[in-house]
């Protein structure tokens, strides 16, 4: 029974961890569904631990904590491996050069290591290795506070606390719950802590086997919702010749390019080096950011998705539009547009991305047709660009602006020129609509009651009344008072309203060209004036 962790015990623990991870690698890989289901968490943890032991073996006489931490950081693989390296670095920061760690010393070091691991991850998620490491550290600190200060008591408390937290991870991450598994990285860290218990006590803890992934339900309706696919590539490199300020800038930039960002630094004989890990669509941008910060080397780029969509066809052009209602969908489809239906809850970014990819086009124009959906379209477009497509979002705020953009589209033009023409046509179209108030409210045109007709121009209510036709007439008069050569009308279910509005335009504005679509839309009347 060890009373303290000296250099020999640290080395013994690392070798025991390598042996344990080697035996558990297949099970850990099978558990891996988060942050991306690429099935390599066990492998990455093992490779990281092996790198730590290799550095320890290659540096006889050097303090064990220093050597193994350098090896782990420089040899860390993947998201989980890099976090494990940071945990080891956190332990080393507290214990290297000190007296052999007793129970209270190790508990305090575990807490500091968990805190430093959270700091190293740009956007930490609960239900992961981080959560498990923190729970183990807190259990160790609690054991000391309760008077259980022996090293064996502390490491046992840490391992038990981590295992309890691991079992709770499916309740913290939807991806784990859907797959019926615990977090793979957290499970791997439990293996490492159990190896520490075996090193200190001489007895390996008795644990129930890790639960394998649940079989897929036979009923398609019972299949749990899977998380959207993440960024396309894992980028990892070592960074030399970079100071703390440059690394801080690098972290900020990489955080805008992707996720699963972990940056860990360690001192070497040639100066401080950093292990940089990120999942991103912009591989070039991630590497360029490293070049600006210092000297990246040992660069590795690994595709995350096992199946990639078909390559886009150069020169093929598509227009994708978000459209509410079946009638408008048919109207846009009739113009050769690929439609993404929009319900009351809006539209999902993944649906937009799927439609862009399904088009097979190398050049894609996206028409959100709603100001609230422009950011969603922009995010989907950014992901599509990462898949090799040239995507432009024309920020149409209404379906009538979308129709104006489609009307001037010309696939024989250069893509950039065509996008400009469509954007200019949409911007030149003033849009308005007549709707029915759903509740009593105070509008910019005064109070209204449920059931009143509201005439809104560019999103602001300008007319309130009880009669749809009267409100529609006044709304058109206001719009055309500022000039206009053509009015586009998208008429909802009330055809008589469309007839009355057209008759009014013919009488009061005879020089205005009128284009009418009876689309059966949910909104009684939508208007575009050019």
């Amino acid at each position: 029974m060890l009373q303290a962790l000296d250099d020999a015990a640290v080395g013994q623990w690392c070798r025991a961890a390598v042996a344990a991870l080697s035996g558990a690698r297949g099970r850990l890989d099978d558990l891996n569904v988060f942050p991306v289901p690429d099935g390599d968490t066990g492998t990455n943890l093992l490779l990281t631990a092996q790198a730590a032991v290799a550095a320890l073996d290659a540096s006889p006489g050097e303090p064990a904590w220093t050597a193994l931490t350098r090896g782990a950081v420089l040899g860390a693989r993947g998201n989980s491996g890099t976090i494990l390296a940071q945990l080891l670095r956190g332990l080393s920061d507290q214990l290297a050069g000190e007296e052999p760690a007793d129970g209270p010393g190790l508990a305090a070091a575990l807490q500091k290591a968990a805190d430093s691991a959270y700091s190293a991850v740009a956007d930490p998620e609960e239900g992961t290795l981080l959560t498990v490491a923190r729970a183990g550290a807190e259990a160790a600190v609690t054991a000391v506070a309760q008077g259980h200060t022996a090293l064996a008591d502390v490491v046992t408390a840490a391992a038990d606390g981590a295992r309890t937290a691991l079992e709770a991870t499916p309740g913290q991450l939807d991806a784990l719950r859907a797959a019926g598994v615990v977090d793979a990285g957290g499970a791997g860290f439990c293996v490492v802590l159990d190896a520490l218990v075996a090193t200190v006590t001489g007895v390996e803890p008795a644990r129930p086997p890790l639960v394998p992934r649940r079989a897929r339900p036979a009923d398609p309706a019972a299949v749990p919702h899977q998380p959207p696919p993440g960024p396309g590539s894992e980028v990892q490199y070592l960074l030399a010749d970079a100071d703390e300020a440059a690394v801080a800038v690098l972290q900020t930039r990489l955080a805008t390019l992707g996720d699963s960002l972990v940056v860990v630094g360690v001192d070497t004989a040639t100066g401080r080096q950093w292990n940089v890990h990120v999942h991103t669509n912009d591989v070039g941008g991630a590497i360029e950011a490293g070049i600006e910060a210092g000297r990246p080397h040992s660069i590795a780029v690994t595709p995350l998705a096992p199946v990639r969509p078909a390559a886009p066809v150069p020169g093929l052009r598509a227009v994708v539009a978000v459209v509410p209602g079946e009638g408008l969908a048919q109207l846009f489809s009739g113009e050769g547009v690929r439609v993404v239906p929009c319900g009351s809850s809006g539209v999902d970014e993944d649906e937009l991305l799927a439609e862009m990819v399904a088009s097979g086009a190398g050049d894609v124009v996206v028409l959100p047709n709603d100001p609230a959906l422009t950011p969603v379209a922009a995010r989907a477009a950014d992901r599509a660009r990462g898949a090799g497509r040239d995507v432009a979002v024309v920020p149409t705020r209404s379906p009538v602006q979308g129709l104006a953009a489609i009307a001037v589209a010309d696939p024989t033009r250069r893509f950039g020129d065509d996008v400009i023409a469509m954007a200019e046509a949409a911007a030149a179209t003033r849009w308005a609509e007549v709707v029915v108030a759903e509740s009593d409210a105070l509008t910019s045109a005064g109070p209204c009651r449920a059931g009143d007709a509201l005439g809104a121009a560019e999103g602001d209510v300008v007319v309130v009344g009880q009669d749809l036709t009267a409100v529609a007439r006044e709304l058109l008069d206001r719009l055309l008072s500022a000039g206009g050569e053509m009015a586009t009308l998208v008429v909802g279910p009330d055809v008589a309203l469309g007839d009355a509005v057209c008759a009014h335009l013919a009488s009061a504005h005879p020089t205005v060209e009128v284009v009418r679509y009876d689309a059966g839309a949910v909104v009684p009347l939508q208007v575009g004036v050019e």
Side-chain angles (χ1 to χ4, degrees), residues 158-188:
D160 290 347
R163 185 73 185 214
T164 299
L166 174 68
E167 297 299 334
T169 56
Q172 296 172 290
L173 283 173
D174 290 340
L176 302 180
R177 185 186 304 110
V181 296
V182 295
D183 179 67

Side-chain angles (χ1 to χ4, degrees), residues 144-432:
V144 171
Q146 293 175 346
H148 305 292
T149 59
L151 182 62
D153 292 336
V154 169
V155 297
T156 300
D160 290 347
R163 185 73 185 214
T164 299
L166 174 68
E167 297 299 334
T169 56
Q172 296 172 290
L173 283 173
D174 290 340
L176 302 180
R177 185 186 304 110
V181 296
V182 295
D183 179 67
F189 190 64
C190 285
V191 170
V192 172
L193 287 180
D194 282 349
L196 177 59
V197 174
T199 299
V200 172
T201 68
V203 179
E204 185 175 346
R207 304 289 189 198
L210 295 172
V211 179
R213 192 177 306 187
R214 208 169 48 215
R216 184 181 294 273
D219 178 9
V223 176
H225 173 71
Q226 295 298 313
S233 294
E234 177 183 66
V235 178
Q236 190 159 15
Y237 51 80
L238 298 179
L239 183 68
D241 303 333
D243 58 23
E244 298 279 352
V247 171
V249 173
L250 171 65
Q251 288 178 291
T252 300
R253 181 170 175 188
L254 290 179
T256 67
L257 297 179
D259 55 25
S260 296
L261 172 61
V262 190
V263 180
V264 182
V266 68
D267 292 326
T268 71
T270 58
R272 196 164 187 78
Q273 292 208 47
W274 308 82
N275 193 320
V276 179
H277 172 278
V278 68
H279 292 175
T280 181
N281 282 321
D282 190 355
V283 173
I287 296 173
E288 287 173 5
I291 294 172
E292 292 178 3
R295 179 173 59 84
H297 62 99
S298 303
I299 299 169
V301 178
T302 306
L304 292 173
V307 179
R308 289 188 174 275
V313 178
L316 180 62
R317 191 170 303 175
V319 178
V320 175
V322 182
V323 179
E326 184 178 347
L328 276 172
Q330 292 178 352
L331 179 58
F332 275 78
S333 296
E335 298 296 328
V337 175
R338 300 182 70 93
V339 169
V340 177
C342 178
S344 58
S345 59
V347 67
D348 189 88
E349 174 183 330
D350 295 315
E351 294 177 74
L352 265 174
L353 176 63
E355 195 62 38
M356 295 181 213
V357 172
S359 73
D363 301 328
V364 182
V365 178
V366 183
L367 307 175
N369 292 333
D370 186 327
L373 297 180
T374 298
V376 179
R379 291 193 297 270
D382 188 58
R383 290 168 60 186
R385 293 185 195 104
R389 285 154 176 80
D390 193 356
V391 184
V393 177
V394 175
T396 49
R397 298 166 60 83
S398 165
V400 291
Q401 285 192 326
L403 290 171
I406 295 167
V408 300
D410 183 356
T412 65
R413 278 194 294 243
R414 287 179 61 254
F415 180 63
D417 293 338
D418 203 31
V419 171
I420 291 172
M422 295 175 73
E424 289 176 345
T429 301
R430 303 193 303 280
W431 60 280

